[in-house]
Amino acid sequence: MSAMIPSDAIEVPGAWEHLPIAELHGLIMVIGAADVVKSTFTQYLARRVAESGVTVAELDGDPGQSRLGPPATISLALYTADEVQHPDRVATRRMFIGSVTPSG
């Protein structure tokens, strides 16, 4: 599976690199307008948190532009530090919802 972006494959803004990863816990929801790099930020954040030794669950709730699965699906991926280094081992579950819009 190619869900994780290698850290050298994206341009990381300096503000992202200064996030207090050790202080993050619980549920983190990333929301925003269309095409503002939410998926890229979420993937970067999941990688950084998993690298710190915490298991991370990422829910991709955008059935129209899903990054973790095909269109018309909701996908859930679980990452550990080992899976960040070997993205083909990431456990992913998908549910076909039959629509490419969140309201559908």
Side-chain angles (χ1 to χ4, degrees):
M1 178 182 157
S2 60
M4 296 301 288
I5 297 173
S7 36
D8 60 350
I10 61 172
E11 185 174 329
V12 177
W16 292 8
E17 294 176 356
H18 295 15
L19 288 169
I21 298 300
E23 297 175 21
L24 298 177
H25 56 83
L27 176 67
I28 299 171
M29 181 182 290
V30 178
I31 59 174
D35 299 321
V36 294
V37 301
K38 295 180 300 292
S39 294
T40 303
F41 174 69
T42 301
Q43 188 169 21
Y44 173 80
L45 190 59
R47 171 185 284 275
R48 289 278 314 275
V49 172
E51 286 173 344
S52 74
V54 176
T55 298
V56 177
E58 178 185 2
L59 177 65
D60 184 347
D62 186 349
Q65 294 181 320
S66 180
R67 188 184 54 74
L68 294 176
T73 63
I74 299 294
S75 301
L76 176 70
L78 295 175
Y79 306 103
T80 65
D82 183 53
E83 278 119 8
V84 168
Q85 301 304 318
H86 303 282
D88 56 320
R89 297 183 192 166
V90 173
T92 304
R93 298 284 184 253
R94 294 181 184 90
M95 178 175 279
F96 179 71
I97 60 169
S99 178
V100 293
T101 65
S103 62

